[in-house]
């Protein structure tokens, strides 16, 4: 069937009209192809009605390029590289941390992933979600401080989110007393910082004779930023020396932490776990729960590690968030309330080792819930305490963030 007269271009002879390759109605694709061929017919002396060059009517001539849209305007199809995990290290990594620039968490992120693109987040929850939603490739968050203990919020969030621990970093905490340029200590009436930073410097502040009001702030770097932005000449902040550089503050006192052994441990989180190895020291973090009464289950868990000579570096218990209280009837005194707990354990072994695999297989037999949070290289970077304005280049951060 040939093209109907209503659709056939008037200036193409009937004998050369474009026909479909088979006996089917003339399709829209063929019509577009014909229009494209017509648009490409060269004009002679500016006359669009001049005769067609033999190349169009000659079936032996090379075919014309009939692209209807420029290729550059079309969306690029996804490739496997778009969906592949980001490299473990490098300048392309986007690393989320809690706080503002100048926070100890930012220093931890920089140590864990040098030259990364650090992304500040106002809450721990936001940092978790940034990785889950592919806004960031990694998150570096504190989990425990040598003086302040565990950061329980992050332990709870590890259960609520499906991120994996892929590494750890540690950083000695080096606090400084910061104020606006020209401000003297005797003019101060208030010191602000994160609550743990205030507690970690309490004895030093008293020894300096600073019997002033101490107020809690969201984090150390945010306190320094507030002093600078508000122009507070009666207020000092406890933060890092980098915060002083970023916000134009002077260091009134350097290294004011009460304990030189103040160190915070951070974990690096990713969407996918890493492959455990045995060529270097590894640490594995797990969490479990049990439904049975008494301490026998916990004893069995610890025994599974002890019999295999696996060292534990941490054990932490947290109330079960979904079932925090269970009621037990007591005929004598009425109703008693008992908390159900989740137990977090870190142990020094890789999941690539048979002894670690056997230990978890045994634990799984008498626990109601068991999850491996990550098996990752231990932070073996040497660090030392320093009284300089800059902390040693060791990985990690601070509970005061």
């Amino acid at each position: 069937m040939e093209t109907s007269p209503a659709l056939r271009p008037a200036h193409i002879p009937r004998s050369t009209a474009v026909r479909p390759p088979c006996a089917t109605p003339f399709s829209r694709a063929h019509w577009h192809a014909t229009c494209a061929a017509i648009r490409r017919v060269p004009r002679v002396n500016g006359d669009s009605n001049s005769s067609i060059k033999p190349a169009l009517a000659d079936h032996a001539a090379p075919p014309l390029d009939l692209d209807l849209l420029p290729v550059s305007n079309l969306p690029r199809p996804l490739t496997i590289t778009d969906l592949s995990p980001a490299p473990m290290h490098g300048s392309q990594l986007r690393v989320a941390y809690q706080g503002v620039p100048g926070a100890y968490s930012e220093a931890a992120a920089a140590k864990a992933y040098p030259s990364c693109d650090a992304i500040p987040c106002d809450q721990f929850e936001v940092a978790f979600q940034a990785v889950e939603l592919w806004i960031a490739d990694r998150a570096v968050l504190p989990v425990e401080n040598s003086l302040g203990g565990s950061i329980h919020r992050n332990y709870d969030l590890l259960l609520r989110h499906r991120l994996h621990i892929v590494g750890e970093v540690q950083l000695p905490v080096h606090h400084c007393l910061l104020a606006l340029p020209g401000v003297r200590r005797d003019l101060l009436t208030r010191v602000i910082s994160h609550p743990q930073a205030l507690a970690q410097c309490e004895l030093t502040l008293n020894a300096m004779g600073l019997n002033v009001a101490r107020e809690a702030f969201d984090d150390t770097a945010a306190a320094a930023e507030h002093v600078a932005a508000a122009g507070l000449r009666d207020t000092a902040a406890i933060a890092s020396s980098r915060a002083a550089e970023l916000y134009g503050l002077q260091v009134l006192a350097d290294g004011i932490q009460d304990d030189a052994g103040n160190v915070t441990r951070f974990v690096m989180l990713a969407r996918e776990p890493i492959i455990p190895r045995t060529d270097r020291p590894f640490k594995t973090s797990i969490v479990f729960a049990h439904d049975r009464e008494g301490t026998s289950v916990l004893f069995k868990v610890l025994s599974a590690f002890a019999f295999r000579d696996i060292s534990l570096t941490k054990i932490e218990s947290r109330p079960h968030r979904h079932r925090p209280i269970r009621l037990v009837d007591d005929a004598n005194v009425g109703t008693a309330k008992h908390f159900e707990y989740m137990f977090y354990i870190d142990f020094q072994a890789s999941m690539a080792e048979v002894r670690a695999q056997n230990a978890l297989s045994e634990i799984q037999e008498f626990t109601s819930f068991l999850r491996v949070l990550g098996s990752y290289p231990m932070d073996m970077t040497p660090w030392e305490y320093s009284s300089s304005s800059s902390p040693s280049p060791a990985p990690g951060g601070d509970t005061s963030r």
Side-chain angles (χ1 to χ4, degrees):
M1 181 184 297
E2 69 178 38
T3 309
S4 62
L7 296 177
R8 188 190 312 115
H11 64 282
I12 297 183
R14 183 183 182 86
S15 60
T16 61
V18 178
R19 296 173 181 268
C22 58
T24 56
F26 192 80
S27 66
R28 183 178 182 86
H30 292 109
W31 169 242
H32 282 304
T34 303
C35 293
I38 294 173
R39 285 198 300 270
R40 295 175 184 273
V41 173
R43 298 184 180 185
V44 178
N45 297 327
D47 183 7
S48 61
N49 294 322
S50 60
S51 60
I52 301 175
K53 285 191 173 184
L56 279 179
D58 185 1
H59 297 289
L64 295 175
D65 183 5
L66 301 182
D67 289 340
L68 301 181
L69 292 173
V71 176
S72 60
N73 292 342
L74 296 176
R76 181 182 65 83
L78 290 175
T79 65
I80 190 62
T81 57
D82 297 315
L83 304 177
S84 298
M88 289 300 297
H89 294 276
S91 59
Q92 300 303 314
L93 278 180
R94 298 160 297 175
V95 180
Y97 69 92
Q98 190 278 330
V100 299
Y104 292 103
S105 293
E106 184 193 34
K111 180 61 181 180
Y113 301 105
S115 302
C116 69
D117 181 12
I119 303 175
C121 303
D122 62 349
Q123 301 176 30
F124 290 132
E125 175 83 19
V126 175
F128 275 85
Q129 293 184 3
V131 179
E132 288 184 325
L133 298 177
W134 294 76
I135 298 173
D137 303 301
R138 301 286 188 274
V140 175
L141 299 172
V143 290
E144 60 179 327
N145 175 262
S146 58
L147 297 181
S150 297
I151 294 88
H152 296 133
R153 176 60 176 165
N154 282 336
Y155 276 100
D156 292 339
L157 290 174
L158 284 172
L159 274 184
R160 294 181 55 185
H161 297 269
R162 294 298 301 181
L163 298 183
H164 302 268
I165 303 176
V166 296
E168 65 173 4
V169 289
Q170 300 181 73
L171 182 71
V173 176
H174 191 88
H175 290 312
C176 299
L177 186 67
L178 311 179
L180 289 172
V183 172
R184 302 192 312 271
R185 293 184 191 177
D186 56 357
L187 298 178
L188 297 177
T189 61
R190 183 176 61 156
V191 174
I192 61 175
S193 191
H194 186 272
Q196 288 204 21
L198 292 172
Q200 292 166 6
C201 301
E202 181 177 2
L203 297 180
T204 303
L205 292 178
N206 291 338
M208 294 169 58
L210 288 179
N211 297 318
V212 297
R214 299 163 193 182
E215 297 181 10
F217 218 78
D218 292 339
D219 60 76
T220 57
E225 181 184 35
H226 177 68
V227 170
L232 304 177
R233 304 194 65 82
D234 63 342
T235 303
I238 297 176
S240 66
S241 59
R242 172 168 165 75
E245 298 173 0
L246 289 176
Y247 304 113
L249 301 178
Q250 66 171 335
V251 178
L252 293 179
D254 186 20
I256 63 173
Q257 61 276 1
D258 296 338
D259 192 333
N262 189 358
V263 180
T264 297
R265 174 175 170 252
F266 285 72
V267 292
M268 298 124 73
L269 303 175
R271 290 179 291 272
E272 299 294 335
I274 62 174
I275 300 176
R277 293 154 43 185
T278 58
D279 60 343
R280 59 173 298 179
F282 257 64
K283 181 183 291 184
T284 300
S285 298
I286 65 171
V287 57
F288 69 90
H290 63 86
D291 294 329
R292 303 177 187 177
E293 287 290 339
T295 61
S296 61
V297 173
L298 182 57
F299 173 79
K300 292 177 181 178
V301 170
L302 299 180
S303 298
F305 292 112
F307 291 158
R308 294 171 176 86
D309 197 26
I310 298 177
S311 299
L312 303 186
T313 59
K314 181 180 179 65
I315 180 169
E316 175 87 10
S317 62
R318 294 286 293 150
H320 197 309
R321 293 183 62 86
H322 298 291
R323 292 184 297 172
I325 298 178
R326 183 163 54 88
L327 301 180
V328 179
D329 292 333
D330 190 326
N332 296 325
V333 297
T335 300
K337 298 181 179 180
H338 297 276
F339 285 94
E340 293 187 358
Y341 288 92
M342 309 291 291
F343 291 89
Y344 295 83
I345 287 181
D346 294 342
F347 59 89
Q348 293 181 344
S350 169
M351 283 305 299
E353 299 180 55
V354 176
R355 59 173 184 157
Q357 298 170 12
N358 292 339
L360 293 194
S361 295
E362 180 179 337
I363 293 171
Q364 197 168 17
E365 295 178 1
F366 41 80
T367 56
S368 58
F369 170 78
L370 174 63
R371 176 177 160 190
V372 177
L373 299 174
S375 188
Y376 47 92
M378 293 178 58
D379 177 21
M380 306 298 292
T381 305
W383 51 266
E384 60 183 11
Y385 307 114
S386 172
S387 60
S388 62
S389 59
S390 299
S392 58
D398 176 20
T399 49
S400 57
R401 299 181 296 283

